[in-house]
Amino acid sequence: MLIDLLKKGVISKDNLLFDNYKKIDLNEKQVMIVKMIMHISKSENKFVTPRVVATKMTLSETEIENEIEDMIEKGLVKIVAKNIDFSPLFLKLAITSEQEYLALEDKSFIATIQDQLSFELEEEQIKELANIINVNVSKKQLLEILGSEDTINTYSEFVKRIGKLINNKPKGITKFNWLDN
């Protein structure tokens, strides 16, 4: 979803880059090189080369070439018809950001589940539960299990109830809750 918003220009590439560059292993020099190339490409109708970029920065042409080569090796930049393509960079930034958001959302949901159980979940149980949420059962269904009148006293009892729910799910196209998504 974030990728689509980025492509439509709804999300600022600058903000995405500055907020997340460390997460994809970019350094500050590389960020400034990317921004300078984007700036030159917009403002001047020139073919952007390391030499042109070097005239606008305090980095040498060689340093700029080395940093661009590093980004190419990391798969963040492509050279297409003598132009620099930053789409892999922004795609990776968007994916990383979205995955981080989903992980935080899952942690919050797991905390909600733990609050409703009469026992503490261990780390391995939390990982197993997160996997179940991502593959088999919706969050709404898990909350319905917890909201039932019967108290759940152990993790194995909780997993058994989840298993019953999974086995009773209809197969095929009706398996997906179209209204819940």
Side-chain angles (χ1 to χ4, degrees):
M1 180 172 118
L2 189 61
I3 296 165
D4 294 332
L5 295 174
L6 185 63
K7 286 179 183 175
K8 291 178 183 176
V10 174
I11 297 199
S12 164
K13 286 183 177 181
D14 290 348
N15 290 345
L16 189 63
L17 178 63
F18 288 130
D19 290 342
N20 298 292
Y21 73 91
K22 286 191 231 175
K23 296 172 190 168
I24 63 167
D25 199 28
L26 279 182
N27 62 44
E28 286 81 6
K29 285 181 184 178
Q30 292 168 335
V31 171
M32 289 311 298
I33 291 168
V34 168
K35 285 302 303 159
M36 186 58 72
I37 292 171
M38 290 171 64
H39 173 72
I40 294 169
S41 296
K42 276 187 211 172
S43 64
E44 303 172 21
N45 290 331
K46 283 187 183 180
F47 178 66
V48 182
T49 64
R51 180 173 298 169
V52 172
V53 176
T55 62
K56 306 248 184 211
M57 298 182 75
T58 59
L59 299 174
S60 71
E61 188 177 337
T62 305
E63 287 175 300
I64 292 168
E65 286 174 351
N66 291 339
E67 295 298 339
I68 291 172
E69 284 178 24
D70 184 51
M71 290 187 283
I72 291 170
E73 288 173 12
K74 292 176 185 175
L76 300 173
V77 173
K78 290 190 270 183
I79 304 296
V80 180
K82 296 187 180 183
N83 289 318
I84 298 176
D85 178 10
F86 291 117
S87 58
L89 169 79
F90 288 103
L91 179 65
K92 187 161 185 174
L93 285 167
I95 289 170
T96 301
S97 184
E98 195 164 338
Q99 287 174 338
E100 186 177 84
Y101 172 77
L102 292 174
L104 286 173
E105 189 178 84
D106 283 347
K107 282 183 184 179
S108 171
F109 184 72
I110 297 290
T112 301
I113 288 175
Q114 270 194 238
D115 289 344
Q116 293 186 17
L117 292 171
S118 58
F119 55 91
E120 283 291 313
L121 293 172
E122 296 173 12
E123 191 63 35
E124 280 301 312
Q125 294 169 334
I126 291 172
K127 287 178 184 175
E128 181 182 1
L129 197 53
N131 187 45
I132 289 170
I133 292 168
N134 291 328
V135 176
N136 296 314
V137 179
S138 73
K139 293 177 180 180
K140 181 180 176 188
Q141 290 170 319
L142 279 182
L143 290 175
E144 287 172 1
I145 291 171
L146 291 171
S148 67
E149 295 173 15
D150 301 330
T151 304
I152 299 172
N153 296 317
T154 64
Y155 181 72
S156 61
E157 188 180 329
F158 187 40
V159 171
K160 283 181 189 175
R161 288 198 192 176
I162 294 170
K164 283 182 187 177
L165 177 71
I166 292 170
N167 290 332
N168 291 332
K169 279 171 94 173
K171 306 295 182 220
I173 196 163
T174 58
K175 180 171 114 177
F176 185 78
N177 185 350
W178 296 94
L179 299 175
D180 193 29
N181 197 8

